[in-house]
């Protein structure tokens, strides 16, 4: 299967949301490629931050299904799926007879280099078709300016598909703000398009085009007349940074005690009558709280619970505390809430002043007064004793509920039954979609899936899923996988073709909390449709004010057979993946995984995603392993690496009541076996990251009281994320420049470096001769590998120090990274200037130039590896007085000569260059307090404080 995607049916997206639909402002207009622009030509604009656009255009002979997302305020990423009329996708009718027209995928990037000001235009740089076949590759530089109200003009120049100068103009009259006239000079070289000789593209020339546009809410349409034909482009724009798209008109109100106001007991009555605690548990259960445990510990009422529906932790805790105030014994002085996920404590909320708490919930005091009486600790507060696992609430939802459309999961129709112990049965239709297989460009399957979850003990859950196929077109997929690796994913069509009922999942998961910051899971059973096994995961998620987490997952797996019950295939493996999750500004999370993957290939996987205000996440992954997938689409010269895009869509933003259900969608160019992972039985980081984010955000209370007068507070409605690193960058550049001017011994240092390089050059020939005779020696080969890998490790460790270290270590790591970049830049300049041939390339002179046509950036003088290695270690050696690090760097750098990738003088010059960069930047920036910044968040202000000591 190719270009696989999987998604759940999402319904109710516009249900009740028409007022929002009509009230949206107009967005920048995409071109036929999905990038913001005119008809075929781009402008310098990018969409409003967080805008997701989906559209279809027809521009003879091309049909273009496109999508575009403004991932960052200055970065627009577009993807398009282009079909070409009159050109078959496959010439072999047996292999691809059902595929239809030729189709190709492309990914385009646009960077905003300069934002428009009163006098300067906006400037953008675009790169098209960056990955894959690159049939539409090119680049351009363009400037755009609003010269008059409603009148925008652009001029640019391109290479590749866009050849030479181009331009565009758009006029939007004030009296008709939904209408625009657009014109452009189209500079595409259509005659160089793929298959142009077989289509009408060969008759298309550069020239003018004109069009008319109309936008209504999130919808837009463009009709344009070009020289020989008419084009059409329709689209839907979705602003992902809206907090919600649909008003919560069906959200249940918080507890008010109605209709029969409960009477609060004395402590003695509470202790003598178990029904008192059960009444509170029952009231909480009716509000979707799960795993409810309640106890009085001295004069403190302790509640341990989670919530299966409410998406914000602070809001859930607020509803629990508000309810508890109606039932708590009169002598209660404190309420503690241990919020849990799968019965694992995430945080403990302690409320010390119940009178102030009650006044705040009634709107009599402000939030700052409440915060003086609240304490939030990660995990379970050590003062809170673990509560009895015996349930207090009776089963609240006896029988079966049938819901049509109006259900928290967004299903078209569902049958459910659940209770307060988080036992749940759920039956609903599901759909899978698969793109770009040779047997057909689109395949799908529709099934009925029943899931059953059962609590077996403290943190122990049975999780199962049974599916029955209702209809699918995957039976048309006939061709076998051509992969030379174990078929851990490429045989997915064999599994999908089976129409009989299948047991997709049957798992026992034991969740454990080892410490306030450490969680673990042990799993055994049928993991997913293709694998069964046993394994576990351990996660370390530090306390507040830390923006990282690490986990290790190990699973022993056996491949299941295609029938979907208890049969097996012969393939077995053990996967082990260590992951580092790091939260960056602008809602971005970067995850690096490393270890052994499903096909027994070792390597790393990088995932980067951004979370928008709506909760929607968009990201990509890229995997690099030693799997060596050389069959099509890979080649022996360029093995295929697994990659793709993914989206996570919380239905909370799309439905009329709050919920925690999330729909996942992923899109990969090909379904291959390299770099694959087993479906996690219950990923701890995914389970805890959202509640941890809520708890660590601002004061940790979120929409605690649901007071109308607080809805505009950043704690309740976080502002659109922004990040302005320029003040810190400017300070570092200023300090570095000033330090460079203050260096009095630059000339002497340069002379000493030249002497050392010339001295090493005298040894170039004998040293290379020595190593050339010993290339078969195992020690020499390993030395060469060390020289290649050690600079990469040094950069990775510098990045880790920057990301995870204290202020001093983090600053040193950043200096090391800056020094490495500066060293590579300096080394590249020398490579371009000298163009020295590498050892073993022939010729008598050690200073001969490369052959014509060879890249100067790949020339020998100087060694980038040596420069990066010394640049990385020098700041640490200086800051922590560890001179032995220079010995490690020298040993690694010499490996480049041992492998005969460089002459000794290349290594020497590179090392001296790296040392000079590291020493200079360390001296300039070692005072880390000069660059520290902190976020100020109070009920009355939100801003950034930057400490700038006077010198």
């Amino acid at each position: 299967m190719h270009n696989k995607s999987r998604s759940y049916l999402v319904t109710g997206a516009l249900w009740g949301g028409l007022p929002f639909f009509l009230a949206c402002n107009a967005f920048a207009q995409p071109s036929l490629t999905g990038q913001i622009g005119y008809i075929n030509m781009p402008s310098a604009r990018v969409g409003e931050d967080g805008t997701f656009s989906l559209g279809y255009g027809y521009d003879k002979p091309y049909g273009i299904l496109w999508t575009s997302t403004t991932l960052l305020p200055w970065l627009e990423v577009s993807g398009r799926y282009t079909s070409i009329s009159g050109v078959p996708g496959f010439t072999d009718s047996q292999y691809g007879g059902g595929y239809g027209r030729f189709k190709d995928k492309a990914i385009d990037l646009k960077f905003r280099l300069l934002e428009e000001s009163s006098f300067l235009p906006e400037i953008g740089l675009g790169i098209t078709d960056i990955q894959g076949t690159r049939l539409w590759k090119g680049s351009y530089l363009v400037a755009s300016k609003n010269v008059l109200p409603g009148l925008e003009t652009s001029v640019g120049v391109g290479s590749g598909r866009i050849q030479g100068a181009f331009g565009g103009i758009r006029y939007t009259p004030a009296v008709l703000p939904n209408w625009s006239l657009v014109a452009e000079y189209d500079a595409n070289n259509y005659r160089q398009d793929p298959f142009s000789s077989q289509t009408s593209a060969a008759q298309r020339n550069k020239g003018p085009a004109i069009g008319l546009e109309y936008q209504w809410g999130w919808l837009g349409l463009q009709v344009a007349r070009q020289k020989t034909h008419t084009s059409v482009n329709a689209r839907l724009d979705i602003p992902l940074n809206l907090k919600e798209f649909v008003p919560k008109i069906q959200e249940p109100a918080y507890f008010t005690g109605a209709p029969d106001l409960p009477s609060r007991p004395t402590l003695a009555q509470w202790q003598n009558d178990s029904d008192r605690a059960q009444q509170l548990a029952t009231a909480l259960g009716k509000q979707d709280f799960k795993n409810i445990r309640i106890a009085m510990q001295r004069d403190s009422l302790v509640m341990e619970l989670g919530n299966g529906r409410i998406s914000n932790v602070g809001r859930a805790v607020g509803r629990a505390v508000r309810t508890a105030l109606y039932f708590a014994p009169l002598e209660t002085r404190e309420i503690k809430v241990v919020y849990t996920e799968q019965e694992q404590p995430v945080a403990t909320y302690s409320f010390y002043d119940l009178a102030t708490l009650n006044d705040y919930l009634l709107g009599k005091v402000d939030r700052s007064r409440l915060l003086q009486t609240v304490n939030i600790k990660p995990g379970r507060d050590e003062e809170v004793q673990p509560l009895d696992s015996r349930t207090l609430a009776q089963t609240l939802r006896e029988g079966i509920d049938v819901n049509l459309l109006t259900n928290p999961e967004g299903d078209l129709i569902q049958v459910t039954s659940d209770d307060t112990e988080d036992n749940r049965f759920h039956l609903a239709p599901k759909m899978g979609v698969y793109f770009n297989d040779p047997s057909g460009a689109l395949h799908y399957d529709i099934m009925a899936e029943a899931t059953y979850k059962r609590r077996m003990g403290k943190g122990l859950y049975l999780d199962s899923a049974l599916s029955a196929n209702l209809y699918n077109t995957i039976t048309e997929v006939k061709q076998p996988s051509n992969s030379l690796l174990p078929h851990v994913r490429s045989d997915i069509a064999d599994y999908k073709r089976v129409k009989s009922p299948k047991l997709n999942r049957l798992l026992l998961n034991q969740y454990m909390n080892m410490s306030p910051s450490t969680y673990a899971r042990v799993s055994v059973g049928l993991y997913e449709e293709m694998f069964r096994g046993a394994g576990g995961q351990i996660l370390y998620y530090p306390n507040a004010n830390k923006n990282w987490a690490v986990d290790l997952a190990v699973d022993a797996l056996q491949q299941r057979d295609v029938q979907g019950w208890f049969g097996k295939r012969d393939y077995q493996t053990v996967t082990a993946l260590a992951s580092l999750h790091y939260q960056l500004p602008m809602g971005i999370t970067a995850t690096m995984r490393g270890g052994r993957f499903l096909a027994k290939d070792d390597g790393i996987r990088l995932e980067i995603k951004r979370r928008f205000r709506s909760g929607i996440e968009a990201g990509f992954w890229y995997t690099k392993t030693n799997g060596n997938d050389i069959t099509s689409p890979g080649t022996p010269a360029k093995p295929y690496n697994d990659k793709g895009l993914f989206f996570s869509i919380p239905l909370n933003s799309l439905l009329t009541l709050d919920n925690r259900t999330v729909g996942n969608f992923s899109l990969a160019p090909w379904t291959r076996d390299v770099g694959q992972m087993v479906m996690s039985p219950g990923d701890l980081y995914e389970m805890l990251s959202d509640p941890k984010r809520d708890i660590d955000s601002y004061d940790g209370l979120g929409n605690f009281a649901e007071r109308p007068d607080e809805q505009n507070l950043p704690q309740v409605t976080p502002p659109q994320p922004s990040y302005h690193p320029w003040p810190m960058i400017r300070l570092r550049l200023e300090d570095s420049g000033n330090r460079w001017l203050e260096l009095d011994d630059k000339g002497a240092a340069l002379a000493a470096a030249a002497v050392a390089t010339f001295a090493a050059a005298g040894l170039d020939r004998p040293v290379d001769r020595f190593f050339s005779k010993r290339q078969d020696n195992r020690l020499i080969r390993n030395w060469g590998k060390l020289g290649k890998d050690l600079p990469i490790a040094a950069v990775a460790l510098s990045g880790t120090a920057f990301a995870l270290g204290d202020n001093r270590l983090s600053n040193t790591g950043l200096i090391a990274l800056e020094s490495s970049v500066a060293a590579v830049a300096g080394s590249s300049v020398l490579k371009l200037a000298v163009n020295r041939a590498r050892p073993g390339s022939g010729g008598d002179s050690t200073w001969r130039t490369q052959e014509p046509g060879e890249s100067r950036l790949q020339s020998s003088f100087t060694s980038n590896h040596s420069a990066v290695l010394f640049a990385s270690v020098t700041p640490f050696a200086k800051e922590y007085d560890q001179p032995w690090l220079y010995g490690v760097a020298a040993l690694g750098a010499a490996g480049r000569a041992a492998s005969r990738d460089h002459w000794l003088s290349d290594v020497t010059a590179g090392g001296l260059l790296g040392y000079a960069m590291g020493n200079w930047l360390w001296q300039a920036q070692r005072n880390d307090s000069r660059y520290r910044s902190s976020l100020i968040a109070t009920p009355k202000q939100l801003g950034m404080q930057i400490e700038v000591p006077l010198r």
Side-chain angles (χ1 to χ4, degrees):
M1 301 292 293
H2 306 313
N3 221 11
K4 176 187 173 185
S5 67
R6 179 80 180 182
S7 65
Y8 292 119
L9 288 174
V10 178
T11 60
L14 297 177
W15 208 85
L18 188 61
F20 282 85
F21 186 85
L22 296 174
C24 290
N25 294 324
F27 296 103
Q29 310 291 312
S31 65
L32 282 159
T33 64
Q35 290 194 324
I36 297 298
Y38 300 98
I39 302 170
N40 277 294
M41 295 294 100
S43 70
R45 313 290 188 195
V46 297
E48 185 176 340
D49 184 31
T51 299
F52 171 80
S53 299
L54 176 67
Y56 180 81
Y58 185 75
D59 182 31
K60 187 179 180 182
Y62 306 119
I64 309 155
L65 178 66
W66 57 264
T67 181
S68 181
T69 306
T70 309
L71 286 179
L72 294 168
W74 44 267
L75 172 62
E76 180 182 77
V77 180
S78 305
R80 47 196 163 107
Y81 191 56
T82 304
S83 62
I84 305 179
S85 299
V87 179
F90 294 88
T91 56
D92 185 350
S93 60
Q94 296 297 319
Y95 180 72
Y99 185 77
R101 295 179 293 179
F102 177 88
K103 303 173 183 70
D104 185 70
K105 304 173 292 293
I107 296 177
D108 307 329
L109 302 178
K110 186 196 288 187
F111 302 89
R112 184 174 65 191
L113 304 181
L114 180 67
E115 194 167 1
E116 182 179 1
S117 64
S118 300
F119 302 102
L120 297 176
E122 193 152 311
I123 298 177
L125 172 67
I127 306 173
T128 59
D129 204 355
I130 63 172
Q131 180 66 38
T133 59
R134 303 208 68 194
L135 297 177
W136 320 95
K137 66 180 179 181
S139 59
Y140 60 85
L141 185 69
V142 59
S144 300
K145 188 80 174 69
N146 286 317
V147 294
L148 291 172
L151 181 62
E152 175 195 87
T153 60
S154 296
V155 293
V157 62
S159 64
R161 191 176 188 232
I162 300 177
Q163 288 192 352
F166 65 90
I169 185 170
R170 173 176 286 108
Y171 175 62
T172 305
V175 293
L176 295 172
N178 293 338
W179 294 86
S180 297
L181 289 172
V182 60
E184 69 175 16
Y185 180 81
D186 184 352
N188 280 331
N189 187 350
Y190 293 100
R191 297 185 179 185
Q192 290 187 1
D193 283 357
F195 310 106
S196 61
S197 61
Q198 304 176 39
T199 69
S200 58
Q203 284 73 52
R204 295 183 62 174
N205 297 313
K206 299 180 180 180
I210 188 169
L212 180 66
E213 296 172 339
Y214 179 73
Q215 178 145 341
W216 181 67
W218 293 356
L219 301 176
L221 177 68
Q222 178 193 84
V223 178
R225 181 62 188 175
Q226 305 187 44
K227 271 192 173 183
T228 59
H229 65 284
T230 299
S231 65
V232 178
N233 193 19
R235 74 181 190 283
L236 168 68
D237 297 323
I238 302 176
L240 302 182
N241 272 325
L242 280 181
K243 184 180 179 182
E244 60 184 31
F245 304 129
V246 178
K248 298 295 180 278
I249 58 176
Q250 291 184 306
E251 177 64 13
Y254 51 70
F255 186 79
T256 60
D260 299 320
L261 190 66
S263 60
R264 294 180 60 185
T266 64
L267 181 58
Q269 290 173 328
W270 175 283
Q271 293 171 340
N272 295 328
D273 185 0
S274 60
D275 287 344
R276 298 290 187 171
Q278 194 170 68
Q279 290 172 10
L280 172 56
T282 301
L284 291 169
K286 291 179 179 179
Q287 301 172 71
D288 299 293
F289 286 96
K290 308 293 183 183
N291 303 125
I292 304 163
R293 309 290 180 260
I294 302 172
M296 286 296 299
Q297 295 181 0
R298 297 183 297 274
D299 56 0
S300 296
L301 174 63
V302 180
M303 298 185 295
E304 185 174 310
L305 45 77
N307 195 284
R309 185 184 63 82
I310 298 176
S311 59
N312 179 264
V313 172
R315 184 164 169 261
V317 171
R319 290 203 167 194
V321 171
R322 186 190 295 269
T323 305
L325 288 174
Y326 285 92
F327 295 91
L330 295 170
E331 294 89 341
T332 303
R333 294 180 177 272
E334 179 183 11
I335 294 178
K336 289 181 179 287
V337 178
V338 182
Y339 188 84
T340 64
E341 290 286 345
Q342 304 289 3
E343 298 184 80
Q344 308 311 303
V346 180
T348 301
Y349 287 73
S350 299
F351 301 89
Y352 299 107
D353 187 337
L354 300 191
T356 299
L357 173 62
N358 189 64
D359 287 344
Y360 173 69
L361 292 173
L362 294 175
K364 296 180 179 180
V365 298
D366 62 15
R367 197 180 188 99
S368 61
R369 176 68 183 91
L370 174 70
L371 291 176
Q372 300 173 18
T373 67
V374 178
N375 184 35
I376 305 174
K377 292 184 178 180
R380 187 192 306 278
D381 190 335
E382 61 275 8
E383 297 180 359
V384 177
Q385 302 172 10
L387 302 186
D388 188 349
S389 62
R390 179 175 57 87
T391 181
L392 291 171
Q394 301 295 326
T395 299
L396 298 172
R397 296 179 180 85
E398 298 178 353
I400 294 179
D401 295 330
V402 178
N403 296 300
L404 179 66
L405 288 180
T406 57
N407 56 77
E409 286 79 11
D411 295 314
L412 288 173
I413 187 173
Q414 67 171 212
V415 179
T416 62
S417 178
D418 61 0
D419 62 25
T420 56
E421 285 299 275
D422 212 8
N423 301 314
R424 190 166 199 268
F425 171 79
H426 177 257
L427 173 64
K430 302 295 178 185
M431 182 176 182
V433 183
Y434 309 86
F435 292 108
N436 209 37
D437 188 84
S439 62
L442 174 67
H443 289 293
Y444 60 90
D445 61 346
I446 300 173
M447 70 190 78
E449 184 180 66
T451 61
Y452 180 65
K453 179 182 178 182
R454 180 77 183 180
R455 180 183 183 273
M456 311 295 290
K458 176 70 172 179
L460 178 63
Y461 290 86
L462 173 70
D463 188 10
S464 61
L466 178 71
S467 67
N469 184 274
L470 301 177
Y471 183 80
N472 80 66
T473 62
I474 301 175
T475 54
E476 301 170 9
V477 179
K478 303 296 185 183
Q479 65 280 0
S481 167
N482 67 353
S483 174
L484 301 180
L485 278 69
H487 292 186
V488 296
R489 291 300 181 208
S490 58
D491 281 349
I492 184 64
D494 296 339
Y495 289 79
K496 296 296 183 183
R497 276 197 295 264
V498 177
K499 292 189 174 182
S500 57
K502 302 170 70 173
L503 186 61
N504 290 332
R505 187 170 64 253
L506 182 62
L507 273 169
L508 276 176
N509 288 322
Q510 176 67 64
Y511 297 95
M512 295 165 284
N513 179 227
M514 318 298 288
S515 75
S517 300
T518 307
Y519 301 84
R521 170 186 51 81
V522 176
S523 303
V524 62
L526 308 181
Y527 277 40
E528 49 154 279
E529 188 174 15
M530 294 186 71
F531 284 92
R532 67 187 186 187
Q537 180 186 18
I538 185 167
L539 168 72
Y540 178 69
Y541 207 132
N543 300 338
N545 302 320
K546 298 292 185 181
N547 50 5
W548 58 273
V550 293
D551 72 74
L552 173 66
V554 179
D555 296 284
L557 301 167
Q558 169 97 50
Q559 191 163 6
R560 302 174 63 192
D561 69 9
V562 298
Q563 299 305 316
W565 289 93
F566 300 103
K568 66 177 183 177
R569 287 186 171 184
D570 293 334
Y571 183 72
Q572 298 180 2
T573 187
V574 176
T575 63
L577 290 172
S579 303
L580 169 65
H581 314 272
Y582 194 82
Q583 294 178 5
L584 297 164
M586 299 293 295
I588 298 172
T589 300
T591 296
M592 177 69 77
R593 307 185 195 273
R596 171 153 291 192
F597 291 84
L598 261 181
K600 299 182 180 179
D601 48 331
D602 301 323
I604 59 174
R605 171 181 166 118
L606 174 66
E607 303 168 13
I608 296 179
K609 65 181 180 181
R610 182 180 176 193
R611 182 184 181 91
F612 298 95
R613 288 183 70 202
S614 60
I616 294 175
E617 294 179 340
F620 72 90
W621 79 87
Y622 186 87
T623 308
K624 179 73 173 178
T625 77
N626 61 0
N628 200 31
D629 186 8
I630 61 174
T631 54
S632 180
T635 65
K638 191 176 181 181
Y640 181 77
N641 296 309
D642 188 52
K643 63 186 76 70
L645 307 173
F646 61 88
F647 296 90
S648 175
I649 304 174
L651 302 192
N652 170 56
S653 61
L654 302 173
L655 300 179
T656 55
L657 73 166
D658 193 11
N659 73 92
R660 297 180 58 184
T661 305
V662 176
N664 296 305
F665 177 88
S666 63
L667 186 65
W670 308 93
T671 298
R672 304 295 294 173
D673 300 308
V674 66
Q676 298 297 319
M677 302 188 303
V678 72
M679 185 179 295
S680 174
D683 187 79
L684 294 174
Y685 183 77
E686 292 299 320
M687 182 179 83
L688 295 170
S689 58
D690 281 353
K692 285 278 192 179
R693 181 186 295 109
D694 289 344
I695 294 163
D696 294 342
S697 177
Y698 297 96
D699 55 24
L701 293 178
N703 195 14
F704 179 84
E706 303 180 56
R707 286 169 47 170
D709 63 321
E710 289 191 343
Q711 295 309 302
N712 292 326
L713 292 180
Q715 299 93 322
V716 177
T717 305
Q720 186 167 324
S722 62
Y723 180 57
H724 303 287
W726 174 243
M728 185 186 71
I729 295 174
R730 184 182 63 194
L731 287 174
R732 289 184 178 271
L733 290 173
E734 289 177 356
D735 290 347
S736 300
N738 292 335
R739 183 57 189 162
W740 177 260
L741 296 175
E742 293 169 2
L743 293 174
D744 297 328
D745 53 354
K746 291 191 290 289
L750 182 60
V755 170
T757 302
F758 283 122
L763 298 174
D764 279 342
R765 179 68 69 186
V767 169
D768 183 63
R769 188 181 297 118
F770 174 84
F771 285 123
S772 66
K773 295 177 180 178
R774 293 166 175 81
Q775 288 300 292
D776 294 332
N777 183 283
R778 183 177 179 181
L779 178 62
I780 299 299
R781 291 201 308 271
N782 290 335
W783 193 0
K785 292 179 181 178
L786 178 69
K788 181 179 180 180
D789 296 338
L790 196 57
I792 299 174
V795 171
L797 290 173
S798 299
T800 303
F802 167 60
L804 307 182
D806 57 23
N807 288 331
R808 183 185 180 192
L809 183 60
S810 178
N811 186 60
T812 307
L814 178 57
I815 295 172
L817 294 175
E818 294 173 352
S819 302
S820 299
V821 172
V824 169
S827 179
S828 298
V829 170
L830 291 172
K831 284 177 178 289
L832 292 170
V834 178
N835 196 29
R836 187 185 190 184
R838 292 180 182 265
S841 59
D844 298 328
S845 172
T846 60
W847 285 95
R848 62 188 177 277
T849 58
Q850 292 191 115
E851 295 294 330
E854 295 188 56
S855 172
R856 284 177 171 264
L857 289 175
Q858 298 300 319
S859 60
S860 189
F861 187 85
T862 60
S863 168
N864 281 342
H865 287 74
S866 178
V868 167
L869 192 49
F870 273 89
S872 297
V873 305
T874 297
F876 291 98
K878 293 282 187 180
E879 181 67 24
Y880 294 96
D881 192 21
Q882 301 293 325
W884 60 271
L885 288 172
Y886 297 123
V888 174
L891 179 67
R896 301 301 288 165
S899 62
R900 301 192 71 210
D901 287 298
H902 285 284
W903 304 99
L904 180 63
S905 54
D906 302 335
V907 173
T908 303
L912 290 170
L913 175 63
Y915 172 83
M917 294 298 178
N919 183 53
W920 162 45
L921 293 177
W922 173 77
Q923 290 188 44
Q925 302 180 24
R926 62 176 302 193
N927 181 14
D928 67 290
S929 64
R930 182 166 166 76
Y931 315 114
R932 293 179 193 166
S933 62
S934 59
L935 184 68
I936 301 174
T938 71
K940 296 183 178 180
Q941 62 175 324
L942 175 69
M944 183 74 71
Q945 174 178 301
I946 301 177
E947 299 178 14
V948 185
L950 299 177
R951 299 195 300 180

